[in-house]
Amino acid sequence: MQRNCWRSQNKDLVRSRLNYIPLIKKPRVRFAPSPTGFLHLGSARTALLNWLFARHYKGTFILRLEDTDRERSTQEAVKNILDGLKWCGLNWDEGPEAGGKYGPYFQMERLSLYQDQAQRLVKEDKAYRDEGAIRFRIPPGDTRFTDLLRGEIKFLNKELKDLVIIKSDGVPTYNFACVVDDSLMEISHVIRGEDHISNTPLQLNIYDALGFTRPKFLHLPLIHGSDGARLSKRHGPTTIQDYRAKGFLPEALRNYLALLGWSPRNKIEILTTEDLIRHFSVEGINRSYSIFDEKKFTWINSHHLRMLDDDTLAREAVPFVEKAGFKEITEAGLRNIVGLLKSRLHLLSEVAVFGRYLFPGEIDYPEEILQEYLSDKDTILWLEEIYRALEGVSDFSVKNLEDVFKRFIQEKNIKFKAIAQPLRVAISGMTVTPGIFETMAIMGKELTLKRLREGLEKAKKMGTVPRFTERTE
Ligand code: GLU
């Protein structure tokens, strides 16, 4: 039923690809980062697609740390990667901290396993010693494999060089350790970036020489920047930590990164994590590269922010509000604030920016805004009267404020429109805010009056009342 929806021109390819998805045996997939820095968008996307594959096909997601580059691997980077994955919500079933019967999950703790396999190859003359190192002998012929995304790929072995598999210090090289581990850990599908395609024929020859079953391979197209070049630092921040600090939610990251490698059949772009798991399919993985677009990511984030209830949103916003310097805000106060601002937010960090006037302390009144809305003498006089009227109001509920203003404009015979925008500017320093009564209700009497007073003082200090003067002359 579902399969009929797939674009018909791809039917044959899809049908052949489906043969590779183990519907009976549970798949085992892995994410195998080298702990040399932070978790980047590209690796996080690889981890996510492996995780979705495992969760959708009810398999196992394994985390393995490829720490054999001893100069570049650090404990700190291990922590960065584990923390990054945890924040992304990509929980692993086997690996560091989780354990598992195929461990250890750090390659440097598995040296004897690589030695054993390498010795076996030497004994069988499939590898040989070379200046203290062990080198693998590439056999003649060619190497073919079927990539689940690209179909058959063929390499001529004469273009491959005999490669060192164990260095003279006893540490294995990536291509060897990776094959030994993927075999011993019974990995069924290797899903990784296409920058590893050139490693695949070397690895396949090692599988064959060791007599291990080859896993299925799927190489993901890389993520590119807006200029079409492979995504790198020069396009902007690339680590997960950067985006977390900017105010993105992990659920939005999962949503956006998933779309950077895969397309759902129904083309819906806002997907919860349950949606992603349910709709994920290997057939939907994109065959061409995708472009990282922070604007689109931000748009997706705004939808996920809106999906949060006010309590959760307030909790998520706390570190951002604190970072902006507002430490004394209560959780209840913040809940009201985020509730008021929610529909306009794109990033968690915007709570303290868009809602600056809702927090204590001085705010800015940009001069051009004062000029435009608070430079008219009549307006200032009306606002001063409003100030006095509000001083006598104790119930700052939306309903009561509406009544107070209704009476006020009737008595004075003015239009609400004439004072609404100046009032907004006076209490917020901004031209766009949520509804004026909702805003005042959340601010409460004390802060509303304080802001209104400040706004009027700033306007008067400006000392120019050009429109008024022009009119009366
Ligand atoms: N440690 C390798 C990397 O981070 C893993 C590649 C693979 O998935 O085989 O690129």
Side-chain angles (χ1 to χ4, degrees):
M1 190 36 205
Q2 274 185 336
R3 281 173 209 169
N4 293 342
C5 306
W6 184 256
R7 295 191 297 271
S8 58
Q9 69 267 31
N10 283 335
K11 240 187 198 154
D12 290 342
L13 183 65
V14 169
R15 216 174 278 134
S16 68
R17 253 192 259 149
L18 281 174
N19 295 331
Y20 294 94
I21 302 166
L23 297 172
I24 302 163
K25 197 168 178 253
K26 292 186 169 171
R28 289 175 58 81
V29 291
R30 65 5 174 230
F31 174 53
S34 304
T36 55
F38 286 96
L39 183 62
H40 286 264
L41 291 169
S43 350
R45 195 221 19 190
T46 301
L48 172 69
L49 292 181
N50 275 284
W51 183 84
L52 286 174
F53 187 96
R55 296 295 171 256
H56 178 83
Y57 295 109
K58 308 236 175 325
T60 306
F61 176 58
I62 295 141
L63 175 63
R64 179 175 77 227
L65 273 298
E66 302 204 327
D67 55 354
T68 55
D69 183 341
R70 283 187 295 169
E71 259 143 53
R72 294 178 59 224
S73 300
T74 63
Q75 273 310 313
E76 205 190 334
V78 170
K79 187 174 178 324
N80 287 339
I81 289 173
L82 299 196
D83 288 351
L85 288 171
K86 283 180 204 168
W87 182 75
C88 293
L90 305 180
N91 61 316
W92 52 98
D93 308 306
E94 288 175 26
E97 295 174 5
K101 62 176 183 167
Y102 297 83
Y105 294 91
F106 284 86
Q107 289 188 325
M108 285 308 285
E109 294 171 21
R110 300 170 62 82
L111 295 184
S112 64
L113 296 169
Y114 312 123
Q115 280 292 350
D116 291 350
Q117 299 301 334
Q119 296 306 336
R120 193 153 70 79
L121 291 179
V122 172
K123 235 180 245 150
E124 293 171 16
D125 200 29
K126 292 171 178 163
Y128 54 94
R129 290 182 200 285
D130 180 11
E131 293 184 24
I134 301 180
R135 208 177 264 281
F136 179 75
R137 204 189 296 286
I138 296 281
D142 58 32
T143 308
R144 296 161 197 245
F145 74 100
T146 305
D147 184 280
L148 296 190
L149 207 56
R150 297 147 209 270
E152 191 180 68
I153 302 184
K154 180 176 150 183
F155 294 86
L156 298 175
N157 289 7
K158 64 172 193 263
E159 283 163 17
L160 309 174
K161 277 201 195 92
D162 287 4
L163 70 148
V164 170
I165 53 175
I166 305 270
K167 292 181 288 180
S168 54
D169 59 4
V171 177
T173 54
Y174 156 67
N175 279 307
F176 187 62
C178 181
V179 169
V180 171
D181 288 346
D182 284 342
S183 303
L184 299 183
M185 293 181 179
E186 295 184 40
I187 300 301
S188 59
H189 294 72
V190 170
I191 303 171
R192 60 186 174 192
E194 70 181 8
D195 46 334
H196 285 290
I197 290 185
S198 58
N199 287 320
T200 309
L202 300 170
Q203 296 182 5
L204 290 171
N205 279 293
I206 299 173
Y207 279 103
D208 296 351
L210 288 169
F212 289 146
T213 312
R214 297 172 169 196
K216 313 291 178 211
F217 288 90
L218 191 156
H219 290 94
L220 301 164
L222 302 178
I223 304 174
H224 288 227
S226 50
D227 58 356
R230 195 179 155 180
L231 193 67
S232 73
K233 273 195 208 118
R234 103 193 132 72
H235 295 107
T238 54
T239 74
I240 298 309
Q241 277 85 348
D242 291 329
Y243 287 93
R244 179 183 185 176
K246 278 186 169 211
F248 286 91
L249 292 170
E251 48 271 46
L253 182 80
R254 290 192 290 272
N255 185 163
Y256 185 55
L257 285 184
L259 295 181
L260 280 183
W262 162 86
S263 313
R265 279 193 185 82
N266 54 17
K267 302 282 176 240
I268 286 178
E269 295 194 291
I270 305 299
L271 297 129
T272 65
T273 302
E274 282 104 71
D275 293 336
L276 292 175
I277 294 173
R278 187 161 352 111
H279 298 299
F280 178 82
S281 68
V282 170
E283 304 95 294
I285 292 181
N286 302 333
R287 270 183 288 166
S288 53
Y289 69 78
S290 37
I291 292 191
F292 179 78
D293 175 359
E294 193 170 326
K295 269 209 198 97
K296 177 143 183 206
F297 185 14
T298 308
W299 175 77
I300 287 180
N301 200 52
S302 71
H303 284 269
H304 285 274
L305 284 169
R306 253 164 263 173
M307 281 189 244
L308 295 182
D309 59 62
D310 293 354
D311 281 328
T312 314
L313 183 51
R315 213 172 36 244
E316 296 286 342
V318 167
F320 293 91
V321 170
E322 286 185 346
K323 202 169 158 228
F326 306 114
K327 303 222 182 333
E328 66 281 24
I329 299 295
T330 63
E331 224 177 285
L334 194 53
R335 198 187 313 126
N336 289 334
I337 291 175
V338 298
L340 182 70
L341 298 175
K342 190 145 91 175
S343 61
R344 298 189 55 218
L345 293 179
H346 290 86
L347 297 168
L348 285 167
S349 49
E350 288 172 347
V351 171
V353 180
F354 289 169
R356 175 63 195 89
Y357 54 93
L358 301 167
F359 295 90
E362 289 276 308
I363 57 169
D364 271 352
Y365 286 91
E367 185 150 341
E368 55 291 0
I369 296 181
L370 289 179
Q371 285 284 3
E372 185 164 356
Y373 297 99
L374 288 176
S375 57
D376 179 288
K377 203 172 175 194
D378 289 342
T379 305
I380 303 278
L381 291 175
W382 289 130
L383 290 185
E384 282 176 341
E385 283 213 39
I386 286 171
Y387 182 88
R388 283 192 288 277
L390 288 175
E391 272 185 318
V393 176
S394 52
D395 174 5
F396 258 59
S397 65
V398 173
K399 174 84 192 55
N400 194 47
L401 288 168
E402 273 171 4
D403 290 346
V404 168
F405 273 78
K406 207 182 274 168
R407 262 182 275 127
F408 183 86
I409 58 174
Q410 264 169 12
E411 260 171 44
K412 312 287 176 193
N413 195 22
I414 50 172
K415 287 214 163 64
F416 181 63
K417 259 179 90 180
I419 52 159
Q421 191 62 356
L423 177 62
R424 181 189 313 283
V425 167
I427 63 170
S428 70
M430 295 189 178
T431 54
V432 185
T433 69
I436 192 81
F437 300 123
E438 285 79 3
T439 303
M440 288 198 287
I442 298 288
M443 287 168 85
K445 182 171 175 175
E446 200 187 324
L447 188 59
T448 303
L449 290 179
K450 177 176 179 284
R451 292 266 178 262
L452 184 49
R453 202 166 50 236
E454 278 169 6
L456 288 172
E457 275 163 18
K458 290 265 160 60
K460 284 191 209 156
K461 235 196 223 139
M462 212 168 45
T464 52
V465 244
R467 278 190 283 167
F468 177 75
T469 322
E470 274 160 29
R471 254 189 282 138
T472 50
E473 261 170 10

